Amino acid sequence: MKSRISKSNAFIPMLSVLLIKTSVNKWFKSLIYQLWLYLALFLAVLPLSVQAAFLNEAQARVAEAIEVESQWSGPTEGPAAGLGKNIIFIASDLRNGGVNGVAKGVSEAIGHLDWNLRFLDGAGSETRQGAAIRKAIGFLPDGIVLGGIDAKRHSKILQAAKELGITVIGWHALPDAKGDEELGVFTNITTDIMEVAEIAALLSVVEANGYARVVIFTDPNYTIALSKSDRMAEVISECLDCELISIEHVPLDKTAEQMPQVVGRLLNEHKDITHFLTINDLYIDFAIPSIESEKFDHGTAPISLSAGDGSSAAFQRIREGVYQGATVAEPLLLHGWQIVDEFNRAFLLQKPSGFSAAVHLVTDANIDQVVNSAGIYDPPNEYRESYLDMWKK
Protein backbone atom coordinates (compact mmCIF):
# COMPACT_ATOMS: atom_id res chain seq x y z
CA MET A 1 0.00 0.00 0.00
CA LYS A 2 2.81 2.35 0.87
CA SER A 3 4.35 1.84 -2.55
CA ARG A 4 1.09 2.60 -4.37
CA ILE A 5 0.63 5.78 -2.38
CA SER A 6 4.16 6.86 -3.33
CA LYS A 7 3.55 6.32 -7.03
CA SER A 8 0.31 8.25 -6.84
CA ASN A 9 2.04 11.14 -5.16
CA ALA A 10 4.73 11.15 -7.87
CA PHE A 11 2.12 11.32 -10.65
CA ILE A 12 0.53 14.51 -9.34
CA PRO A 13 3.46 16.86 -10.22
CA MET A 14 3.85 15.16 -13.61
CA LEU A 15 0.22 15.83 -14.39
CA SER A 16 0.62 19.45 -13.32
CA VAL A 17 3.56 19.92 -15.67
CA LEU A 18 1.63 18.35 -18.54
CA LEU A 19 -1.34 20.61 -17.92
CA ILE A 20 0.93 23.65 -17.83
CA LYS A 21 2.63 22.62 -21.08
CA THR A 22 -0.73 22.08 -22.74
CA SER A 23 -1.88 25.51 -21.60
CA VAL A 24 1.32 27.11 -22.86
CA ASN A 25 1.00 25.33 -26.20
CA LYS A 26 -2.56 26.57 -26.61
CA TRP A 27 -1.48 30.12 -25.73
CA PHE A 28 1.47 29.89 -28.11
CA LYS A 29 -0.68 28.55 -30.92
CA SER A 30 -3.20 31.32 -30.32
CA LEU A 31 -0.40 33.89 -30.41
CA ILE A 32 0.98 32.48 -33.66
CA TYR A 33 -2.50 32.48 -35.17
CA GLN A 34 -3.05 36.11 -34.20
CA LEU A 35 0.33 37.08 -35.59
CA TRP A 36 -0.53 35.38 -38.87
CA LEU A 37 -3.82 37.26 -38.96
CA TYR A 38 -2.06 40.58 -38.36
CA LEU A 39 0.55 39.76 -41.02
CA ALA A 40 -2.12 38.80 -43.54
CA LEU A 41 -3.98 42.01 -42.80
CA PHE A 42 -0.76 44.02 -43.12
CA LEU A 43 0.09 42.39 -46.44
CA ALA A 44 -3.43 43.04 -47.68
CA VAL A 45 -3.38 46.69 -46.66
CA LEU A 46 0.23 47.42 -47.70
CA PRO A 47 -0.43 47.60 -51.46
CA LEU A 48 -3.35 49.91 -50.82
CA SER A 49 -1.24 52.27 -48.72
CA VAL A 50 1.63 52.15 -51.22
CA GLN A 51 -0.76 52.91 -54.09
CA ALA A 52 -2.42 55.70 -52.10
CA ALA A 53 0.98 57.27 -51.35
CA PHE A 54 1.99 56.98 -55.01
CA LEU A 55 -1.27 58.60 -56.14
CA ASN A 56 -0.92 61.42 -53.60
CA GLU A 57 2.60 62.17 -54.79
CA ALA A 58 1.46 62.05 -58.42
CA GLN A 59 -1.32 64.55 -57.70
CA ALA A 60 1.12 66.90 -55.96
CA ARG A 61 3.63 66.73 -58.82
CA VAL A 62 0.94 67.35 -61.42
CA ALA A 63 -0.49 70.31 -59.50
CA GLU A 64 2.97 71.89 -59.28
CA ALA A 65 3.58 71.42 -63.01
CA ILE A 66 0.29 73.15 -63.87
CA GLU A 67 1.12 76.29 -61.86
CA VAL A 68 1.84 79.37 -63.96
CA GLU A 69 5.42 80.69 -63.71
CA SER A 70 5.21 84.47 -63.33
CA GLN A 71 8.75 85.25 -62.10
CA TRP A 72 11.98 84.79 -64.05
CA SER A 73 14.19 82.13 -62.46
CA GLY A 74 16.93 82.17 -65.09
CA PRO A 75 20.22 84.10 -65.33
CA THR A 76 20.29 87.81 -64.53
CA GLU A 77 24.05 88.26 -64.80
CA GLY A 78 25.99 87.87 -68.04
CA PRO A 79 28.16 89.63 -70.62
CA ALA A 80 27.05 92.37 -72.97
CA ALA A 81 26.40 91.15 -76.51
CA GLY A 82 29.23 91.05 -79.03
CA LEU A 83 28.88 92.30 -82.60
CA GLY A 84 28.73 90.83 -86.08
CA LYS A 85 28.24 87.13 -85.33
CA ASN A 86 26.98 84.65 -87.95
CA ILE A 87 24.74 81.81 -86.77
CA ILE A 88 23.28 78.87 -88.71
CA PHE A 89 20.27 77.07 -87.29
CA ILE A 90 20.01 73.47 -88.57
CA ALA A 91 16.55 72.04 -87.96
CA SER A 92 15.95 68.32 -87.65
CA ASP A 93 12.60 69.01 -89.32
CA LEU A 94 10.99 72.44 -89.55
CA ARG A 95 7.59 70.71 -89.68
CA ASN A 96 8.16 69.75 -86.05
CA GLY A 97 6.38 72.31 -83.88
CA GLY A 98 9.06 72.28 -81.21
CA VAL A 99 11.98 72.85 -83.55
CA ASN A 100 10.04 75.51 -85.42
CA GLY A 101 9.20 77.33 -82.20
CA VAL A 102 12.83 77.38 -81.05
CA ALA A 103 13.89 78.64 -84.48
CA LYS A 104 11.43 81.53 -84.09
CA GLY A 105 12.85 82.29 -80.65
CA VAL A 106 16.41 82.42 -81.98
CA SER A 107 15.29 84.69 -84.82
CA GLU A 108 13.41 86.96 -82.43
CA ALA A 109 16.39 87.29 -80.07
CA ILE A 110 18.95 87.86 -82.83
CA GLY A 111 16.68 90.59 -84.19
CA HIS A 112 17.78 92.66 -81.19
CA LEU A 113 21.50 92.18 -81.96
CA ASP A 114 23.92 92.97 -84.76
CA TRP A 115 24.06 89.28 -85.75
CA ASN A 116 23.13 87.32 -88.88
CA LEU A 117 21.02 84.14 -89.00
CA ARG A 118 20.53 81.45 -91.65
CA PHE A 119 18.32 78.31 -91.56
CA LEU A 120 18.93 74.84 -92.97
CA ASP A 121 16.33 72.05 -92.81
CA GLY A 122 17.16 68.37 -92.22
CA ALA A 123 13.59 67.48 -93.25
CA GLY A 124 13.26 64.62 -90.76
CA SER A 125 15.97 62.45 -92.31
CA GLU A 126 19.26 61.57 -90.61
CA THR A 127 20.98 61.61 -94.00
CA ARG A 128 19.67 65.06 -94.85
CA GLN A 129 20.55 66.30 -91.37
CA GLY A 130 24.13 65.14 -91.85
CA ALA A 131 24.28 66.87 -95.21
CA ALA A 132 22.93 70.08 -93.65
CA ILE A 133 25.65 69.99 -90.97
CA ARG A 134 28.34 69.61 -93.64
CA LYS A 135 26.85 72.48 -95.61
CA ALA A 136 26.70 74.68 -92.52
CA ILE A 137 30.34 73.99 -91.67
CA GLY A 138 31.25 74.97 -95.23
CA PHE A 139 29.89 78.47 -94.58
CA LEU A 140 32.37 78.86 -91.66
CA PRO A 141 29.88 80.52 -89.29
CA ASP A 142 30.65 81.60 -85.75
CA GLY A 143 28.02 79.26 -84.39
CA ILE A 144 25.77 76.34 -85.35
CA VAL A 145 22.53 75.31 -83.64
CA LEU A 146 21.57 71.64 -83.77
CA GLY A 147 17.79 71.99 -83.55
CA GLY A 148 16.48 68.59 -82.47
CA ILE A 149 19.36 66.70 -84.11
CA ASP A 150 21.00 63.86 -82.19
CA ALA A 151 24.61 65.03 -81.81
CA LYS A 152 26.00 61.55 -81.14
CA ARG A 153 24.70 60.25 -84.46
CA HIS A 154 26.75 62.95 -86.23
CA SER A 155 29.86 62.84 -84.06
CA LYS A 156 32.30 62.45 -86.97
CA ILE A 157 30.93 65.45 -88.85
CA LEU A 158 30.91 67.57 -85.70
CA GLN A 159 34.63 66.97 -85.24
CA ALA A 160 35.19 69.15 -88.31
CA ALA A 161 33.27 72.01 -86.66
CA LYS A 162 35.29 71.51 -83.48
CA GLU A 163 38.60 71.64 -85.35
CA LEU A 164 37.53 74.84 -87.12
CA GLY A 165 36.60 76.52 -83.82
CA ILE A 166 32.89 76.75 -84.67
CA THR A 167 30.75 76.94 -81.54
CA VAL A 168 27.98 74.32 -81.56
CA ILE A 169 24.94 74.55 -79.31
CA GLY A 170 22.23 71.92 -79.24
CA TRP A 171 18.53 72.00 -78.61
CA HIS A 172 17.46 68.45 -77.69
CA ALA A 173 20.74 67.32 -79.23
CA LEU A 174 21.90 65.48 -76.11
CA PRO A 175 20.02 63.73 -73.29
CA ASP A 176 20.97 66.30 -70.64
CA ALA A 177 21.04 70.06 -70.27
CA LYS A 178 24.81 70.32 -70.55
CA GLY A 179 27.52 70.24 -73.20
CA ASP A 180 29.80 67.49 -74.44
CA GLU A 181 33.43 68.49 -74.88
CA GLU A 182 34.29 65.37 -76.85
CA LEU A 183 31.55 66.07 -79.40
CA GLY A 184 32.35 69.77 -79.44
CA VAL A 185 28.91 70.84 -78.13
CA PHE A 186 29.22 73.89 -75.87
CA THR A 187 25.87 73.27 -74.18
CA ASN A 188 22.50 71.68 -74.84
CA ILE A 189 19.22 73.48 -74.20
CA THR A 190 16.42 71.32 -72.94
CA THR A 191 14.16 70.81 -70.00
CA ASP A 192 14.93 67.70 -67.97
CA ILE A 193 13.63 64.95 -70.27
CA MET A 194 13.24 62.54 -67.37
CA GLU A 195 11.00 65.03 -65.58
CA VAL A 196 9.08 65.69 -68.81
CA ALA A 197 8.44 61.98 -69.23
CA GLU A 198 7.57 61.50 -65.56
CA ILE A 199 5.00 64.29 -65.42
CA ALA A 200 3.21 63.09 -68.57
CA ALA A 201 2.98 59.55 -67.16
CA LEU A 202 1.94 60.80 -63.72
CA LEU A 203 -0.86 62.85 -65.28
CA SER A 204 -2.27 59.71 -66.89
CA VAL A 205 -2.23 58.03 -63.48
CA VAL A 206 -4.00 60.98 -61.85
CA GLU A 207 -6.63 61.27 -64.58
CA ALA A 208 -7.37 57.53 -64.35
CA ASN A 209 -7.43 57.71 -60.53
CA GLY A 210 -4.66 55.14 -60.34
CA TYR A 211 -6.04 52.74 -62.96
CA ALA A 212 -4.37 53.93 -66.16
CA ARG A 213 -4.19 51.57 -69.15
CA VAL A 214 -1.48 53.05 -71.33
CA VAL A 215 0.09 52.77 -74.77
CA ILE A 216 3.37 54.65 -75.33
CA PHE A 217 4.51 55.93 -78.75
CA THR A 218 8.19 56.67 -79.35
CA ASP A 219 10.79 57.07 -82.10
CA PRO A 220 13.47 54.32 -82.12
CA ASN A 221 15.85 56.54 -84.10
CA TYR A 222 16.46 59.07 -81.32
CA THR A 223 18.19 58.40 -78.01
CA ILE A 224 16.23 61.18 -76.32
CA ALA A 225 12.91 59.78 -77.53
CA LEU A 226 13.78 56.32 -76.20
CA SER A 227 14.90 57.77 -72.87
CA LYS A 228 11.54 59.51 -72.57
CA SER A 229 9.50 56.44 -73.40
CA ASP A 230 11.57 54.23 -71.08
CA ARG A 231 10.98 56.61 -68.17
CA MET A 232 7.24 56.81 -68.90
CA ALA A 233 7.11 53.02 -68.85
CA GLU A 234 8.95 52.94 -65.52
CA VAL A 235 6.46 55.36 -63.95
CA ILE A 236 3.48 53.31 -65.12
CA SER A 237 5.13 50.16 -63.72
CA GLU A 238 5.45 51.90 -60.34
CA CYS A 239 1.67 52.33 -60.24
CA LEU A 240 0.37 49.04 -58.79
CA ASP A 241 -3.07 49.18 -60.43
CA CYS A 242 -1.92 50.58 -63.78
CA GLU A 243 -1.04 48.63 -66.91
CA LEU A 244 1.38 49.31 -69.73
CA ILE A 245 -0.30 47.71 -72.73
CA SER A 246 2.51 48.28 -75.21
CA ILE A 247 5.31 50.54 -76.44
CA GLU A 248 4.93 51.31 -80.13
CA HIS A 249 8.02 52.29 -82.15
CA VAL A 250 6.96 54.72 -84.87
CA PRO A 251 9.61 57.03 -86.41
CA LEU A 252 8.55 60.67 -86.35
CA ASP A 253 9.02 60.98 -90.11
CA LYS A 254 6.71 57.98 -90.60
CA THR A 255 3.84 59.11 -88.38
CA ALA A 256 1.56 60.09 -91.27
CA GLU A 257 2.01 56.65 -92.86
CA GLN A 258 2.05 54.39 -89.81
CA MET A 259 -0.03 55.96 -87.05
CA PRO A 260 -3.51 55.39 -88.56
CA GLN A 261 -2.85 51.68 -88.99
CA VAL A 262 -1.11 51.23 -85.62
CA VAL A 263 -3.81 53.10 -83.70
CA GLY A 264 -6.59 51.25 -85.51
CA ARG A 265 -5.04 47.92 -84.55
CA LEU A 266 -4.61 48.94 -80.92
CA LEU A 267 -8.19 50.14 -80.58
CA ASN A 268 -9.49 46.87 -82.03
CA GLU A 269 -7.30 44.70 -79.79
CA HIS A 270 -7.65 46.66 -76.54
CA LYS A 271 -10.97 48.19 -75.56
CA ASP A 272 -9.77 49.44 -72.16
CA ILE A 273 -7.02 51.90 -73.20
CA THR A 274 -7.33 55.03 -71.08
CA HIS A 275 -4.33 57.00 -72.42
CA PHE A 276 -1.93 57.33 -75.30
CA LEU A 277 1.41 58.71 -74.08
CA THR A 278 3.55 60.17 -76.85
CA ILE A 279 7.03 61.67 -76.94
CA ASN A 280 5.79 64.39 -79.30
CA ASP A 281 2.48 66.02 -80.28
CA LEU A 282 2.98 64.93 -83.90
CA TYR A 283 1.85 61.38 -83.09
CA ILE A 284 -1.52 62.66 -81.93
CA ASP A 285 -2.08 64.57 -85.18
CA PHE A 286 -2.20 61.27 -87.06
CA ALA A 287 -3.87 59.18 -84.34
CA ILE A 288 -7.14 61.13 -84.45
CA PRO A 289 -8.46 59.84 -87.82
CA SER A 290 -8.30 56.26 -86.54
CA ILE A 291 -9.95 57.20 -83.25
CA GLU A 292 -12.76 58.90 -85.13
CA SER A 293 -13.16 56.01 -87.57
CA GLU A 294 -13.69 53.67 -84.61
CA LYS A 295 -16.65 55.92 -83.71
CA PHE A 296 -15.41 56.81 -80.26
CA ASP A 297 -17.10 59.87 -78.82
CA HIS A 298 -14.98 62.42 -76.99
CA GLY A 299 -15.95 60.98 -73.62
CA THR A 300 -14.83 57.40 -74.24
CA ALA A 301 -11.85 57.77 -76.57
CA PRO A 302 -8.36 57.30 -75.08
CA ILE A 303 -6.93 60.59 -73.88
CA SER A 304 -3.66 61.59 -75.52
CA LEU A 305 -0.93 63.20 -73.41
CA SER A 306 2.30 64.41 -74.98
CA ALA A 307 5.71 64.57 -73.35
CA GLY A 308 6.57 66.80 -76.26
CA ASP A 309 7.04 70.34 -77.38
CA GLY A 310 3.59 71.94 -77.43
CA SER A 311 2.37 72.47 -80.99
CA SER A 312 -0.38 74.88 -82.02
CA ALA A 313 -2.51 71.90 -83.10
CA ALA A 314 -2.06 70.37 -79.65
CA PHE A 315 -3.11 73.59 -77.95
CA GLN A 316 -6.23 73.77 -80.10
CA ARG A 317 -7.19 70.21 -79.15
CA ILE A 318 -6.62 70.96 -75.46
CA ARG A 319 -8.74 74.11 -75.65
CA GLU A 320 -11.57 72.23 -77.33
CA GLY A 321 -11.21 69.18 -75.09
CA VAL A 322 -10.97 66.94 -78.13
CA TYR A 323 -8.80 63.79 -77.79
CA GLN A 324 -5.82 65.54 -76.15
CA GLY A 325 -5.79 66.42 -72.47
CA ALA A 326 -2.38 68.02 -72.05
CA THR A 327 1.11 68.51 -73.38
CA VAL A 328 4.33 69.01 -71.44
CA ALA A 329 5.13 72.13 -73.36
CA GLU A 330 8.59 73.57 -73.42
CA PRO A 331 9.12 77.35 -73.53
CA LEU A 332 10.31 77.28 -77.13
CA LEU A 333 10.73 81.02 -77.63
CA LEU A 334 12.53 81.27 -74.29
CA HIS A 335 14.83 78.43 -75.37
CA GLY A 336 15.62 80.38 -78.53
CA TRP A 337 16.61 83.41 -76.47
CA GLN A 338 18.69 81.22 -74.18
CA ILE A 339 20.54 79.73 -77.16
CA VAL A 340 21.56 83.23 -78.25
CA ASP A 341 22.68 84.08 -74.72
CA GLU A 342 24.75 80.88 -74.51
CA PHE A 343 26.42 81.72 -77.84
CA ASN A 344 27.31 85.14 -76.48
CA ARG A 345 28.86 83.56 -73.38
CA ALA A 346 30.82 81.11 -75.53
CA PHE A 347 32.13 83.83 -77.88
CA LEU A 348 33.34 85.79 -74.85
CA LEU A 349 35.01 82.67 -73.39
CA GLN A 350 32.60 82.35 -70.48
CA LYS A 351 30.96 79.19 -69.11
CA PRO A 352 27.39 78.18 -69.99
CA SER A 353 24.70 79.66 -67.76
CA GLY A 354 23.60 76.22 -66.55
CA PHE A 355 19.96 77.28 -66.66
CA SER A 356 17.23 74.72 -67.38
CA ALA A 357 13.58 75.82 -67.48
CA ALA A 358 11.14 74.06 -65.18
CA VAL A 359 8.80 71.39 -66.53
CA HIS A 360 5.31 72.72 -67.24
CA LEU A 361 2.00 71.08 -68.11
CA VAL A 362 -0.39 72.93 -70.38
CA THR A 363 -3.99 71.89 -69.71
CA ASP A 364 -7.41 73.43 -70.16
CA ALA A 365 -6.93 74.93 -66.67
CA ASN A 366 -4.04 77.24 -67.58
CA ILE A 367 -3.82 77.38 -71.38
CA ASP A 368 -5.24 80.90 -71.68
CA GLN A 369 -2.59 82.22 -69.30
CA VAL A 370 0.49 80.64 -70.86
CA VAL A 371 -0.15 80.19 -74.60
CA ASN A 372 0.18 83.35 -76.70
CA SER A 373 -1.95 84.47 -79.65
CA ALA A 374 0.44 82.72 -82.06
CA GLY A 375 -0.27 79.38 -80.38
CA ILE A 376 3.09 79.06 -78.58
CA TYR A 377 3.68 78.36 -74.90
CA ASP A 378 5.31 81.55 -73.68
CA PRO A 379 5.58 81.92 -69.89
CA PRO A 380 4.74 85.42 -68.64
CA ASN A 381 7.95 85.75 -66.60
CA GLU A 382 9.69 88.64 -68.40
CA TYR A 383 12.59 86.57 -69.70
CA ARG A 384 13.01 88.83 -72.75
CA GLU A 385 13.53 91.90 -70.58
CA SER A 386 16.04 90.03 -68.43
CA TYR A 387 18.16 88.91 -71.41
CA LEU A 388 18.03 92.35 -73.05
CA ASP A 389 19.12 93.98 -69.80
CA MET A 390 22.24 91.77 -69.85
CA TRP A 391 23.02 92.16 -73.55
CA LYS A 392 22.50 95.92 -73.81
CA LYS A 393 24.38 97.01 -70.68
Side-chain angles (χ1 to χ4, degrees):
M1 179 67 71
K2 187 175 181 181
S3 174
R4 289 176 62 189
I5 292 173
S6 177
K7 286 181 180 179
S8 176
N9 289 341
F11 178 71
I12 290 172
M14 290 175 61
L15 181 61
S16 298
V17 170
L18 180 61
L19 289 172
I20 291 170
K21 283 184 177 180
T22 303
S23 176
V24 169
N25 285 341
K26 286 182 177 180
W27 174 84
F28 185 72
K29 287 179 180 179
S30 175
L31 177 62
I32 294 298
Y33 179 70
Q34 289 182 44
L35 288 173
W36 272 111
L37 284 177
Y38 286 131
L39 181 60
L41 181 62
F42 174 76
L43 292 175
V45 172
L46 180 61
L48 297 177
S49 61
V50 169
Q51 178 72 347
F54 180 84
L55 189 56
N56 287 338
E57 182 183 353
Q59 290 168 340
R61 291 276 305 278
V62 166
E64 182 181 4
I66 291 174
E67 289 182 6
V68 177
E69 182 187 1
S70 58
Q71 292 187 335
W72 175 236
S73 58
T76 55
E77 297 292 331
L83 301 175
K85 301 301 180 180
N86 296 302
I87 308 296
I88 298 179
F89 187 108
I90 309 172
S92 60
D93 190 341
L94 280 173
R95 296 170 299 178
N96 181 293
V99 176
N100 194 287
V102 175
K104 289 177 180 177
V106 172
S107 180
E108 182 183 280
I110 282 181
H112 292 271
L113 306 176
D114 182 25
W115 291 15
N116 300 306
L117 178 64
R118 179 196 298 259
F119 292 99
L120 296 175
D121 189 5
S125 160
E126 186 175 328
T127 301
R128 288 191 285 269
Q129 291 164 9
I133 295 172
R134 289 189 185 90
K135 185 175 182 180
I137 292 171
F139 286 119
L140 296 177
D142 297 291
I144 290 174
V145 182
L146 298 179
I149 295 173
D150 192 329
K152 290 184 179 179
R153 288 180 177 269
H154 300 281
S155 57
K156 291 183 180 179
I157 310 171
L158 290 174
Q159 287 304 309
K162 181 179 178 180
E163 291 169 5
L164 289 168
I166 298 170
T167 300
V168 176
I169 290 179
W171 180 82
H172 287 207
L174 296 168
D176 303 312
K178 59 183 180 181
D180 187 313
E181 186 175 349
E182 186 177 340
L183 290 173
V185 178
F186 177 71
T187 192
N188 180 57
I189 310 303
T190 183
T191 47
D192 187 321
I193 62 168
M194 293 295 104
E195 286 192 31
V196 169
E198 286 172 12
I199 206 66
L202 288 173
L203 180 58
S204 73
V205 173
V206 171
E207 290 187 338
N209 198 29
Y211 292 91
R213 302 289 181 267
V214 170
V215 175
I216 296 173
F217 294 90
T218 190
D219 188 333
N221 296 321
Y222 291 92
T223 303
I224 292 173
L226 291 172
S227 296
K228 278 186 182 181
S229 56
D230 286 348
R231 184 58 191 135
M232 287 192 281
E234 288 172 2
V235 171
I236 297 302
S237 71
E238 292 166 9
C239 173
L240 297 180
D241 294 324
C242 297
E243 180 185 355
L244 175 59
I245 293 171
S246 68
I247 299 177
E248 302 292 330
H249 293 102
V250 179
L252 278 164
D253 60 339
K254 301 290 184 183
T255 50
E257 303 167 34
Q258 296 185 16
M259 281 298 287
Q261 180 181 355
V262 172
V263 171
R265 169 179 57 79
L266 288 166
L267 294 176
N268 280 319
E269 293 177 357
H270 306 278
K271 301 300 183 183
D272 61 343
I273 300 172
T274 64
H275 290 82
F276 289 146
L277 294 180
T278 70
I279 56 97
N280 190 283
D281 292 309
L282 194 62
Y283 289 93
I284 305 170
D285 295 347
F286 299 104
I288 290 175
S290 290
I291 297 173
E292 291 178 332
S293 69
E294 292 296 322
K295 299 187 174 158
F296 279 99
D297 61 42
H298 297 165
T300 61
I303 300 169
S304 294
L305 305 175
S306 173
D309 312 315
S311 67
S312 57
F315 293 141
Q316 183 177 349
R317 288 190 290 266
I318 293 167
R319 272 200 172 96
E320 296 174 355
V322 179
Y323 302 126
Q324 184 165 356
T327 183
V328 188
E330 293 191 271
L332 305 174
L333 296 175
L334 187 161
H335 279 176
W337 281 69
Q338 184 183 352
I339 286 170
V340 174
D341 182 61
E342 302 294 358
F343 270 128
N344 191 53
R345 293 170 189 269
F347 296 150
L348 296 172
L349 305 180
Q350 295 196 10
K351 294 180 180 180
S353 70
F355 173 63
S356 181
V359 170
H360 186 76
L361 269 170
V362 175
T363 70
D364 60 352
N366 62 14
I367 191 167
D368 290 332
Q369 297 171 270
V370 298
V371 176
N372 65 21
S373 58
I376 296 178
Y377 166 54
D378 198 21
N381 58 12
E382 299 186 345
Y383 66 87
R384 292 177 178 86
E385 292 81 355
S386 295
Y387 278 123
L388 288 174
D389 286 344
M390 287 191 292
W391 298 342
K392 299 290 186 179
K393 65 184 179 182

